[in-house]
Amino acid sequence: MEKYIAICKETDCTDVWEAAVNCCQQAEQKGYDRLKAKQKALWGKRYEKLGIEIEGDEEAEKAVLYSAYLLYSSAPEHTDRVAIPARGLSGQVYKGAMFWDTEIYMLPMFAFCDPKIARNLVMYRVKNLQGAYEKASEYGYEGAFYPWESQETGRDGCTHYNLTDIFTGRKMRTYFRDKQIHISADVVYGLWKYMNITKDNSILKEGAAEVILECARFFWSYAYYKKGKEQYEFLDVTGADEYHERVNNDAYTNYMIRLTAKATLDVISYLKSKEPEMYKKVMDKLDYWKEEENIRDLYEKIYLPKPNDSLVIEQFDGYLKEEDLSIQELYSRIIKPNEYLGSPCGLAVNTQIIKQADVILLLSLLGSDFTDEVKEKNWSYYEPRTEHGSSLSTCIYALLAAQIGKTEWAYQYLMKAAQIDLTGDYKLYLGDLYIGGTHPAANGGTWMVLTQGFAGLEAEEDGVHFSPHLPEKWRKLKFRFNYGGSRYRVEITKDILKIIGEDAAKELRVTYMGNIYTCSAGSTLKIQMENREGK
Ligand code: IFM
């Protein structure tokens, strides 16, 4: 029996029924064999764009490719009206909504390997600026406050009572929706990353400039200026770690807000010099002439939690004074299976046990602001205190560990992230809420560990940086990436880093260990590496 099924959406066509029937009829005309061949060719092309091979470790290679397969399967190739939901196309939990997971975890793979899809993902946010305006004004703020659980309309689908207390059966007031202000900064980070990697600044004209400026305006209106300390602080927020809600000066949030302010100032000066007409139009339209000075002030005076005497960055004000206990000790206090550990009254709330990477996420994303010693000290401090209650966590511990050469740890965490949808080893319930399905954020994070972790690939203003540390048993790591519209193939062994300009039109500037190299158009750059044995 052969059965043809079409799935059409009202956002992509005028009449879903007619479109679906047409689609099935066309499929029937082609027939099973031709469709299968088409499918095979499509996946062949996709895997070619990634170009991933791990010589010496078939198990890791399979897991990584399967993970990339899941992420690619959910990607909107044909539209910018949707992004990728938190469970891909695998389940209805989180209402099929789009989260910051897209910008921080999934976007890098597409920006480096399939920029057309990356463009759709970032444009989804640009097209939904209205929802972010509405949310900011609902809470009495200015500018754009992007949703925690973004619907196709750009509105927030998250309810105030998002979880149920399994002891009383009563709904619990959660503040995911109200206090995760970092989402607006994550959106800006995504746009900034996209432009940095692809050099496609045309999105600025299509509304991205407004998004960036309006997110900064939102932070300006949220900020508290502390007289005496002469600094801007961000109070009553929830960072990446959702077990601790409504905290002050979450490190991840504050650093990402500074990045938003910097991106805003950069966009303004770019438009001023390169697109004067548009500059005037945007500044007039948004009434931003005075705001620019406010954002500069915010950029210069925002409070950024610094490493303490032990080089640890405190996750939020007072975090280090919370009860310090092991995860096992915390688990021994559990009364009922699946009881929720976070706010308002879960077991982790007044402790240093965190749900997911927070400071470690900051250090892995904005790595150039911190030394390796700071990264190492924080990794070692937060790792035993992280419960990985979110699938967004293990890949980030792997990423930072790989970036600083803790390769054995990085490998263990990589396998956890890469195999999550093979082993099913993850949290299935938050209270009585079933949260199963596939995990696109972990899938994207897995790609990040391979390329931005073990290979140490980083897009810079005018080229790329590499800093490879391969796990012991890997003989060779291969992958492809795009930068500024050209495609490159990378091959890394223990002592050679090779970059091949497959269709490069321009020279690529490559930095490695403080030295500058160039990969000429269409040629191969071979760098003899010093001993890169991991720890
Ligand atoms: O966005 C995440 C959040 O950080 C942790 N809980 C699940 C959400 C969706 O994946």
Side-chain angles (χ1 to χ4, degrees), residues 86-87 94 99-101 148 180 240 242 355-356 390-392:
R87 290 291 178 266
Y94 298 123
F99 287 69
W100 67 305
D101 308 23
W148 188 73
Q180 290 206 32
E242 292 174 342
K355 180 178 182 186
Q356 65 202 89
S390 159
S391 61
L392 275 59

Side-chain angles (χ1 to χ4, degrees), residues 116-387:
K116 204 173 144 262
I117 293 181
R119 198 175 204 282
N120 284 341
L121 296 177
V122 293
M123 287 308 291
Y124 162 77
R125 293 292 196 175
V126 172
K127 300 239 157 113
N128 282 315
L129 176 59
Q130 185 55 30
Y133 274 141
E134 286 169 21
K135 182 167 170 186
S137 109
E138 176 193 335
Y139 287 98
Y141 297 108
E142 291 169 20
F145 181 8
Y146 273 89
W148 188 73
E149 223 170 355
S150 182
Q151 310 278 282
E152 282 174 58
T153 55
R155 303 218 169 81
D156 205 328
C158 184
T159 55
H160 288 145
Y161 292 83
N162 207 33
L163 295 174
T164 305
D165 175 15
I166 58 169
F167 294 100
T168 61
R170 293 201 177 111
K171 290 281 178 199
M172 293 193 288
R173 179 68 164 101
T174 50
Y175 289 87
F176 305 120
R177 181 189 207 277
D178 319 53
K179 300 294 173 187
Q180 290 206 32
I181 62 168
H182 66 84
I183 312 290
S184 284
D186 304 326
V187 168
V188 172
Y189 176 87
L191 294 165
W192 171 77
K193 260 264 128 80
Y194 170 81
M195 290 189 281
N196 207 3
I197 297 167
T198 62
K199 306 295 172 209
D200 168 20
N201 288 355
S202 68
I203 57 165
L204 288 175
K205 279 196 180 145
E206 291 174 44
E210 289 172 38
V211 169
I212 295 172
L213 269 58
E214 290 294 30
C215 285
R217 172 178 268 157
F218 163 65
F219 290 126
W220 165 255
S221 78
Y222 200 101
Y224 293 78
Y225 189 71
K226 273 259 167 77
K227 283 200 185 138
K229 288 191 175 165
E230 309 308 329
Q231 64 189 18
Y232 292 98
E233 301 193 2
F234 286 83
L235 310 181
D236 198 8
V237 304
T238 303
D241 161 31
E242 292 174 342
Y243 283 168
H244 297 89
E245 289 198 321
R246 311 198 66 171
V247 300
N248 295 337
N249 293 314
D250 170 67
Y252 173 75
T253 305
N254 285 19
Y255 275 91
M256 292 296 275
I257 292 173
R258 188 185 55 158
L259 181 132
T260 305
K262 172 83 171 69
T264 300
L265 299 174
D266 286 354
V267 165
I268 292 176
S269 84
Y270 170 83
L271 294 181
K272 205 180 207 169
S273 64
K274 300 267 185 324
E275 305 278 350
E277 255 177 55
M278 183 186 161
Y279 164 68
K280 200 176 163 316
K281 217 165 118 193
V282 170
M283 298 293 275
D284 276 343
K285 180 176 170 201
L286 304 185
D287 191 12
Y288 219 80
W289 297 103
K290 191 169 157 284
E291 211 69 282
E292 183 182 351
E293 276 325 296
N294 294 340
I295 305 302
R296 191 175 307 283
D297 209 42
L298 174 63
Y299 173 65
E300 284 164 5
K301 297 193 197 138
I302 184 168
Y303 165 60
L304 300 172
K306 293 278 166 7
N308 64 13
D309 291 346
S310 322
L311 297 186
V312 171
I313 297 175
E314 191 171 38
Q315 187 176 293
F316 54 82
D317 291 353
Y319 166 82
L320 293 172
K321 294 199 192 96
E322 300 287 10
E323 184 186 355
D324 195 11
L325 75 175
S326 70
I327 292 182
Q328 285 325 311
E329 169 64 24
L330 186 97
Y331 282 165
S332 74
R333 299 176 185 177
I334 286 177
I335 299 171
K336 263 191 167 186
N338 301 332
E339 67 178 81
Y340 182 58
L341 302 180
S343 286
C345 51
L347 285 172
V349 173
N350 300 114
T351 76
Q352 291 189 33
I353 302 300
I354 61 174
K355 180 178 182 186
Q356 65 202 89
D358 193 304
V359 170
I360 300 308
L361 178 62
L362 157 69
L363 298 177
S364 62
L365 295 185
L366 304 184
S368 53
D369 292 0
F370 305 93
T371 63
D372 274 8
E373 199 187 357
V374 167
K375 291 177 192 170
E376 149 63 29
K377 287 280 191 275
N378 281 276
W379 196 95
S380 301
Y381 189 84
Y382 284 104
E383 192 271 337
R385 293 167 176 82
T386 307
E387 205 238 343

